[in-house]
Amino acid sequence: MNNITKSLLEMVSDIFGTPQGAYNIREDGECAGRQSTEQVEIIPKTDKPGIDIMVKAGTKGEKVYIPACITHSHVDDLVYNDFYIGEDADVTIVAGCGVHTDGSEDSQHNGIHRFFIGKNARVIYLEKHIGTGDGSGKRIINPQTVVHMDEGSYMEMDTSQIKGVDSTKRVTRAKVAGGAKLVIKEKIMTHGDQTAETDFVVDLDGVDSGADLISRSVARDRSKQVFRSKINGNTQCTGHSECDAIIMDDGVVSAIPELTANDVDAALIHEAAIGKIAGEQLIKLMTLGLTEEEAEAKIIEGFLK
Amino acid sequence: MNNITKSLLEMVSDIFGTPQGAYNIREDGECAGRQSTEQVEIIPKTDKPGIDIMVKAGTKGEKVYIPACITHSHVDDLVYNDFYIGEDADVTIVAGCGVHTDGSEDSQHNGIHRFFIGKNARVIYLEKHIGTGDGSGKRIINPQTVVHMDEGSYMEMDTSQIKGVDSTKRVTRAKVAGGAKLVIKEKIMTHGDQTAETDFVVDLDGVDSGADLISRSVARDRSKQVFRSKINGNTQCTGHSECDAIIMDDGVVSAIPELTANDVDAALIHEAAIGKIAGEQLIKLMTLGLTEEEAEAKIIEGFLK
């Protein structure tokens, strides 16, 4: 594992040294370390790049690390990771991604993740994305996440793109069975000429299923963001989608939610607000002694927390 | 003017007898009555079906009636009406439409309306749609409205589809200049196998322009509704879009708003909520002695008021 990977791992996965528990570290498209545990087995796929992560039924409190790093320009990485979460399991999955470019050629990581979440299982999924390096080559991260949730299961996806990612297209598809609940919390900050596109489609298929999609984003400089979220209420269910965006400089943000109630017992709500930082907020912090830039930074920090 | 037209006019335009002020009554694609006034001139187009409505600058308090009626099956009516509203004018335009079918063939009215609203002018635009008759032929109304608003002008579109319209596609496009404000209040109730589609696109182009789009709808039986609204904030401006829908029986509603902030001083907000009538509301009214059906009717009446 090279030093750039070590540094990226600290930023995206809070991994310092060797992680506790099951892990698979991907470095420039290769495996840089793998460990299974009694409860969590990680098996490399034989037909294509990627791994199967098998979490035994009833597993409690384990953390699974599956970060991916790219450490130089001209890497085009595509990986298929499938997660099979046994019934009643309760696990946290840490899946950060860092892309570093040092030259003029682009590098990209495309991770296609599928989740099969068993009955009453509970998954916390943490995904931090970052781009680093002095290279002019673009840092591109395109995550695709497909989620199948069995009865009574719970999944919380906590995703954030901190900085340095030039282009991202984030696609998430979920099918939610009876009594199951999906929570997605997304935070994105873009700057320079970056582009970020988010595309959620959630089918609430089971009685008393639920979804809560919360996106907070900041678009600075000339960056552009598009947020799409589609919730289909196909039975008695509750869906909520919320998109709050702060624009600065010449940043551009589009919010395109879509709610469809296909059943009389579907209750769906959406809210979106796009605007700049309120002048009063800035002035209040500036009267406390902060410069305008410090005040802006403080407000954004609070907004994305 | 036949009796069906008379009856439709009462329902969609509150016209009883001959209207006061300028009017043009369209019956089955023909002119059934026209009158200009000193301030409002109505001129038939020579190149295609329709009229030009010229409102002189400074006109105050005039009402203009331009209803259209179809009184039997197998009518396919297409009309182009252009409104030129002079500077500082303040007028109310009543533009209802009723379609009656008596046989197995469909009838439709397609009205393409363009508005050129002068500086500081003020327009209230009232549009009621209804379908009547025992014919199995579908009653179809497709209004297209294109609005150009000059500096400081105000337009309020108050549109409602009461009942009996089997299929409607309502397209509205607006470009709003500095200091001008567009307000759209839409109310739609669908039943049976009806379909209704609404499609707003508003460009907020001028400094301190504003838009407020409010839609309330009820979908009963097996009816289907789609609500699209797109607000583009291209400068310092405020935009608000709101869609509240009640679903009943097997009704289906989609809400697809789209907000795009292309300028740091654009402030855009959207809200949408889709669901059935709250059980507590029904129970409350039923404890006051109403039957369940009466209680539902009361709640819907209030919701669409």
Side-chain angles (χ1 to χ4, degrees):
Chain A
M1 205 190 302
N2 67 42
N3 283 332
I4 294 170
T5 297
K6 282 181 191 159
S7 156
L8 289 171
L9 288 181
E10 290 180 12
M11 289 186 279
V12 301
S13 318
D14 298 318
I15 294 178
F16 299 86
T18 304
Q20 299 292 315
Y23 66 87
N24 186 91
I25 297 168
R26 189 172 176 88
E27 180 187 63
D28 298 326
E30 304 292 330
C31 175
R34 178 180 301 142
Q35 177 175 282
S36 294
T37 64
E38 208 171 301
Q39 299 296 316
V40 181
E41 200 179 358
I42 299 180
I43 307 161
K45 283 186 186 293
T46 51
D47 58 335
K48 52 189 173 184
I51 50 177
D52 289 335
I53 297 99
M54 320 294 291
V55 176
K56 282 191 188 157
T59 300
K60 297 286 176 195
E62 288 224 18
K63 265 195 176 179
V64 184
Y65 294 88
I66 51 140
C69 298
I70 289 175
T71 67
H72 57 84
S73 284
H74 201 37
V75 175
D76 187 351
D77 186 25
L78 169 65
V79 65
Y80 297 85
N81 295 335
D82 289 331
F83 299 79
Y84 299 89
I85 313 293
E87 292 186 12
D88 296 310
D90 184 347
V91 288
T92 298
I93 295 160
V94 184
C97 178
V99 174
H100 181 97
T101 56
D102 50 5
S104 62
E105 283 174 307
D106 301 347
S107 277
Q108 62 176 305
H109 174 76
N110 299 290
I112 298 169
H113 290 186
R114 292 191 303 167
F115 286 84
F116 303 90
I117 303 179
K119 278 188 191 165
N120 301 316
R122 191 183 158 86
V123 176
I124 306 290
Y125 180 72
L126 307 175
E127 185 184 78
K128 274 189 202 167
H129 287 173
I130 197 164
T132 60
D134 295 328
S136 61
K138 284 189 178 143
R139 298 167 289 262
I140 301 163
I141 303 180
N142 296 322
Q144 271 184 43
T145 310
V146 178
V147 182
H148 298 268
M149 298 181 70
D150 275 357
E151 279 77 14
S153 63
Y154 176 88
M155 184 178 195
E156 183 178 320
M157 293 176 64
D158 214 321
T159 68
S160 58
Q161 178 175 309
I162 309 162
K163 65 174 188 171
V165 179
D166 293 298
S167 166
T168 187
K169 195 167 174 194
R170 310 155 68 86
V171 174
T172 304
R173 299 285 178 269
K175 292 182 85 62
V176 186
K181 183 161 190 197
L182 174 66
V183 176
I184 301 180
K185 297 177 186 168
E186 178 187 69
K187 290 168 201 161
I188 297 185
M189 169 127 82
T190 52
H191 47 102
D193 291 296
Q194 298 176 353
T195 59
E197 198 177 325
T198 291
D199 184 349
F200 296 127
V201 179
V202 177
D203 285 303
L204 297 174
D205 292 333
V207 170
D208 291 333
S209 56
D212 201 4
L213 315 181
I214 299 164
S215 168
R216 294 202 150 199
S217 69
V218 177
R220 316 182 69 132
D221 303 328
R222 298 159 307 281
S223 65
K224 287 187 168 53
Q225 296 186 14
V226 179
F227 172 84
R228 291 173 208 274
S229 76
K230 189 169 174 177
I231 301 180
N232 298 314
N234 301 322
T235 180
Q236 179 179 312
C237 63
T238 54
H240 173 249
S241 160
E242 184 182 324
C243 172
D244 284 311
I246 288 179
I247 41 174
M248 300 172 74
D249 315 310
D250 296 313
V252 171
V253 172
S254 287
I256 314 168
E258 181 168 343
L259 300 177
T260 299
N262 291 313
D263 187 277
V264 71
D265 290 311
L268 306 176
I269 295 177
H270 169 74
E271 304 139 72
I274 307 175
K276 65 177 176 180
I277 295 173
E280 313 89 75
Q281 277 189 292
L282 280 178
I283 289 162
K284 195 173 164 189
L285 288 175
M286 286 162 74
T287 57
L288 297 173
L290 274 63
T291 66
E292 188 172 348
E293 283 179 3
E294 288 167 344
E296 274 187 1
K298 206 77 196 164
I299 290 165
I300 288 173
E301 190 193 319
F303 179 71
L304 292 179
K305 186 156 283 174
Chain B
M1 206 187 304
N2 66 42
N3 283 333
I4 294 172
T5 298
K6 282 180 192 159
S7 156
L8 289 172
L9 288 181
E10 289 179 11
M11 290 186 275
V12 300
S13 319
D14 297 318
I15 294 178
F16 299 85
T18 303
Q20 300 293 312
Y23 65 85
N24 185 90
I25 296 168
R26 189 171 177 89
E27 180 187 62
D28 298 326
E30 304 291 331
C31 176
R34 178 181 300 143
Q35 176 174 281
S36 295
T37 65
E38 209 171 301
Q39 298 296 316
V40 181
E41 201 181 356
I42 298 181
I43 308 161
K45 284 186 186 294
T46 52
D47 57 337
K48 52 188 173 186
I51 49 176
D52 289 333
I53 297 99
M54 321 293 292
V55 176
K56 282 191 188 157
T59 300
K60 299 285 176 197
E62 288 226 14
K63 265 196 176 179
V64 184
Y65 294 88
I66 52 144
C69 298
I70 290 176
T71 67
H72 58 84
S73 283
H74 201 36
V75 176
D76 187 351
D77 186 24
L78 170 64
V79 63
Y80 297 86
N81 294 337
D82 290 330
F83 299 79
Y84 298 89
I85 312 295
E87 292 185 12
D88 296 308
D90 183 348
V91 289
T92 297
I93 295 162
V94 184
C97 178
V99 174
H100 181 96
T101 57
D102 49 6
S104 62
E105 283 173 308
D106 302 347
S107 277
Q108 62 176 306
H109 174 76
N110 298 290
I112 298 169
H113 289 186
R114 292 192 302 167
F115 285 85
F116 302 91
I117 303 180
K119 279 186 190 168
N120 301 315
R122 193 183 156 86
V123 175
I124 306 290
Y125 180 73
L126 307 174
E127 186 184 78
K128 274 190 204 168
H129 287 174
I130 198 163
T132 61
D134 296 328
S136 60
K138 284 192 176 142
R139 297 167 288 264
I140 301 163
I141 303 182
N142 296 321
Q144 269 184 44
T145 311
V146 178
V147 182
H148 297 267
M149 297 181 71
D150 277 357
E151 280 77 13
S153 63
Y154 176 88
M155 182 176 196
E156 183 177 319
M157 292 175 66
D158 215 322
T159 68
S160 59
Q161 178 174 308
I162 308 161
K163 65 172 188 173
V165 179
D166 293 298
S167 166
T168 185
K169 195 168 174 191
R170 310 155 67 85
V171 174
T172 305
R173 300 284 179 267
K175 293 181 85 60
V176 187
K181 184 162 189 195
L182 174 66
V183 176
I184 301 180
K185 297 176 187 169
E186 178 186 70
K187 290 167 202 162
I188 297 184
M189 170 126 82
T190 53
H191 48 100
D193 292 296
Q194 298 176 353
T195 59
E197 197 178 328
T198 291
D199 185 350
F200 295 128
V201 180
V202 178
D203 284 302
L204 297 174
D205 292 333
V207 171
D208 291 333
S209 57
D212 201 4
L213 315 182
I214 298 163
S215 168
R216 294 202 152 199
S217 69
V218 176
R220 315 182 71 131
D221 304 328
R222 299 159 305 281
S223 65
K224 286 186 167 54
Q225 296 186 13
V226 180
F227 172 83
R228 288 173 210 275
S229 76
K230 189 170 175 177
I231 302 180
N232 297 314
N234 300 322
T235 181
Q236 179 179 313
C237 63
T238 54
H240 173 249
S241 160
E242 186 182 322
C243 171
D244 284 311
I246 288 179
I247 42 177
M248 300 173 74
D249 315 311
D250 296 312
V252 172
V253 172
S254 288
I256 314 170
E258 182 169 344
L259 301 177
T260 299
N262 290 313
D263 187 279
V264 70
D265 291 310
L268 306 176
I269 294 176
H270 168 74
E271 304 138 74
I274 307 175
K276 65 176 175 180
I277 294 173
E280 313 89 75
Q281 277 190 291
L282 280 178
I283 288 163
K284 196 174 165 188
L285 288 174
M286 286 162 74
T287 57
L288 298 173
L290 275 63
T291 66
E292 187 171 348
E293 282 179 6
E294 287 168 343
E296 274 187 359
K298 207 77 195 163
I299 290 166
I300 288 172
E301 189 192 321
F303 178 72
L304 291 179
K305 188 155 279 173

